[in-house]
Amino acid sequence: DIQMTQSPSSLSASVGDRVTITCRASQGISNYLVWYQQKRGKVPKLLIYAASTLQSGVPSRFSGSGSGTDFTLTISSLQPEDVATYYCQKYNSAPLTFGPGTKVDIK
Amino acid sequence: EVQLMESGGGLVQPGESLRLSCAASGFTFSSYWMHWVRQAAGKGLVWVSRINSDGSSTSYADSVKGRFTISRDNAKNTLYLQMNSLRAEDTAVYYCARGGVIVPSAINGWGQGTLVTVSS
């Protein structure tokens, strides 16, 4: 099965900073990748699908890129409400494995 | 508004069985793929299983294959997860989740979850 990794596992940045999270698949998955945001005590929220397509209603400061094995989620200007754990998930074929998550905090 | 209400969680002993249900409303249930995702306390998300819109195709995580069965009743707008031979490592909050229209495997609707605890 394809394994998903994320880096870093956690980060702390200042409001207004550009934040980049990396997700890597152990084998190529084309662009079959989604990103979720999960705030503490809440259910996850879909941010991006097909690696780079922004889900309706998601702020434009979020963007995704990548294809094959390497993907990134970028927050162009970090806001206090972006404090959360971010997960990638592959969906090219089952199992639909999640990455381990990246916890984002405000410095 | 998408509403998903899980039920059936609880405390069971290792080796026992449990059936989770998820009542769906606010959307045309029979048109969507559905998923189960679990999350142990303080841990990450783990995809468990998915079923296509008419129930003819299912998939499972390796960790539950052969023990869990996903099913749906489109007439009752209800999703199920039959969990047999439960293990301590199955302890988690189980979320019922709805796939997307364009990407059925991109989850854009979640229930609030039901807690399953497997302990002697």
Side-chain angles (χ1 to χ4, degrees):
Chain A
D1 290 343
I2 296 173
Q3 305 304 313
M4 305 299 293
T5 58
Q6 287 183 234
S7 60
S9 56
S10 65
L11 67 88
S12 186
S14 299
V15 172
D17 282 354
R18 183 180 184 89
V19 169
T20 299
I21 298 168
T22 297
C23 175
R24 180 162 291 168
S26 60
Q27 298 175 39
I29 59 171
S30 185
N31 68 334
Y32 295 106
L33 187 98
V34 294
W35 288 97
Y36 300 94
Q37 174 195 65
Q38 186 178 31
K39 297 182 179 180
R40 182 181 293 273
K42 303 294 186 182
V43 298
K45 173 185 175 183
L46 177 64
L47 297 177
I48 288 168
Y49 61 92
S52 61
T53 302
L54 204 64
Q55 173 72 356
S56 176
V58 173
S60 59
R61 64 181 179 273
F62 291 93
S63 65
S65 65
S67 182
T69 60
D70 295 320
F71 304 87
T72 59
L73 173 70
T74 300
I75 308 173
S76 60
S77 176
L78 187 68
Q79 300 301 303
E81 59 266 33
D82 300 335
V83 169
T85 300
Y86 293 83
Y87 296 92
C88 61
Q89 182 194 26
K90 74 167 194 72
Y91 63 92
N92 60 313
S93 62
L96 309 184
T97 309
F98 285 94
T102 295
K103 188 175 181 180
V104 175
D105 281 324
I106 299 291
K107 192 181 296 182
Chain B
E1 181 190 0
V2 175
Q3 293 201 7
L4 299 168
M5 181 70 70
E6 302 93 340
S7 61
L11 173 64
V12 296
Q13 296 192 348
E16 293 187 339
S17 299
L18 209 55
R19 188 175 85 154
L20 305 183
S21 298
C22 171
S25 61
F27 64 101
T28 305
F29 180 72
S30 60
S31 296
Y32 290 84
W33 288 25
M34 297 295 295
H35 302 258
W36 288 100
V37 176
R38 70 186 183 186
Q39 187 169 35
K43 302 297 184 182
L45 301 169
V46 176
W47 175 81
V48 173
S49 182
R50 67 91 179 155
I51 187 168
N52 69 345
S53 56
D54 66 7
S56 62
S57 175
T58 59
S59 296
Y60 299 91
D62 289 347
S63 59
V64 307
K65 201 175 294 182
R67 299 188 300 124
F68 289 12
T69 302
I70 190 172
S71 62
R72 64 192 297 161
D73 186 333
N74 285 345
K76 294 184 177 179
N77 290 343
T78 302
L79 177 72
Y80 303 100
L81 185 68
Q82 177 67 43
M83 303 186 295
N84 298 331
S85 303
L86 282 161
R87 306 167 180 168
E89 55 264 36
D90 296 319
T91 295
V93 173
Y94 284 72
Y95 294 104
C96 165
R98 191 197 78 171
V101 174
I102 299 173
V103 180
S105 293
I107 296 170
N108 63 6
W110 299 75
Q112 289 305 304
T114 186
L115 177 62
V116 172
T117 303
V118 184
S119 175
S120 55

